[in-house]
Amino acid sequence: MNSWRNTFSLTLPVMMGYLPLGAVFGVLWVDAELTWYWAPLMSILVYAGALQYLAVGMLAAGIGWLDLAVASLLVNFRHLFYGLSLYHLLPKGRLGRPYFIFGITDETYSLLSASGHVKDSKTALQIVALNQGYWIIGTLIGMVLARGLPPGLQGLDFALTALFTVLAVEQIRAKKDWGAVLLGLVAAAVAGFWVSEYFLLTASVMLVLVLLAWPASSKEAANQAGEGAL
């Protein structure tokens, strides 16, 4: 019990973000007049943050599942690199390992990689579970609150962008790796200028190619790849 209590204290910053962000997703889902029970199921079975926001608009517009699958790959491609720097926290259990891989979101990755307080796989797995719990609870709260809100509210989806900004600032403050910051800015500028339609995928691939050629140890390259992808 003490273990969970200590882990809970570590996840408080994510909880403060995930409850309102999950609530915004719930509000957007209800406002789009989509089948209600798919919202909590998506937060349980998909749990993809930014993709869930994107899926609301795509499903409301009648976009096919194949197009949604391709968009999911492009949006979540960055998650392929997260595991490179969190491999030492990967649980060994048959259920814990796949769930840990499934539950690594941007905010969870930021907490595990930048806090410096997570040293073992048990604590890491607890953090993943608590963070998803906050998102699910937030989704349910948003669906309830949506019944009393006026339809067509604007700007709610900007909450996710605001949280990403805060996480990026915290990563920079914790790591103080200005070379990685500069590399990320250059990759973002080039990808945004040349192939804006596939911005995230292009920027991520560029970062990986550069880091693979960088004269550093494989472990350092993996850490930088994960942080740059964020």
Side-chain angles (χ1 to χ4, degrees):
M1 191 65 180
N2 288 334
S3 175
W4 280 98
R5 187 180 297 111
N6 294 335
T7 304
F8 172 73
S9 65
L10 294 176
T11 62
L12 282 176
V14 177
M15 182 189 74
M16 298 300 291
Y18 268 17
L19 288 179
L21 284 173
V24 169
F25 168 69
V27 170
L28 293 174
W29 189 274
V30 173
D31 191 48
E33 298 182 352
L34 297 169
T35 305
W36 71 269
Y37 56 81
W38 281 112
L41 282 177
M42 182 174 284
S43 292
I44 295 172
L45 302 176
V46 178
Y47 183 44
L51 173 64
Q52 292 183 227
Y53 279 60
L54 178 64
V56 172
M58 296 185 69
L59 292 174
I63 300 297
W65 288 103
L66 180 59
D67 291 331
L68 183 58
V70 173
S72 302
L73 175 63
L74 297 177
V75 171
N76 288 331
F77 187 79
R78 65 193 185 280
H79 288 259
L80 294 176
F81 308 112
Y82 287 176
L84 296 175
S85 57
L86 295 179
Y87 185 80
H88 62 291
L89 295 176
L90 190 66
K92 296 182 179 180
R94 293 184 177 180
L95 296 178
R97 175 169 291 195
Y99 177 68
F100 180 81
I101 296 172
F102 161 79
I104 296 297
T105 60
D106 299 286
E107 295 76 18
T108 300
Y109 172 81
S110 180
L111 180 60
L112 293 176
S113 63
S115 68
H117 298 294
V118 184
K119 305 295 185 181
D120 60 280
S121 58
K122 178 181 178 181
T123 302
L125 188 60
Q126 290 175 344
I127 287 176
V128 170
L130 285 173
N131 287 348
Q132 185 179 15
Y134 303 146
W135 185 269
I136 295 171
I137 293 172
T139 299
L140 296 174
I141 292 174
M143 296 180 68
V144 173
L145 293 178
R147 303 299 180 182
L149 295 175
L153 287 177
Q154 301 295 319
L156 290 177
D157 50 353
F158 183 75
L160 193 62
T161 303
L163 181 57
F164 282 155
T165 303
V166 172
L167 289 172
V169 172
E170 289 300 316
Q171 283 278 0
I172 294 172
R173 292 178 59 186
K175 300 294 184 179
K176 293 184 172 60
D177 189 346
W178 301 109
V181 174
L182 179 60
L183 181 60
L185 291 174
V186 171
V190 174
F193 181 78
W194 290 104
V195 280
S196 57
E197 297 87 353
Y198 303 100
F199 167 78
L200 187 59
L201 177 62
T202 304
S204 299
V205 171
M206 288 175 57
L207 287 170
V208 171
L209 293 177
V210 171
L211 292 173
L212 287 175
W214 200 265
S217 69
S218 58
K219 183 177 180 180
E220 291 173 344
N223 288 336
Q224 292 174 2
E227 293 164 14
L230 177 62

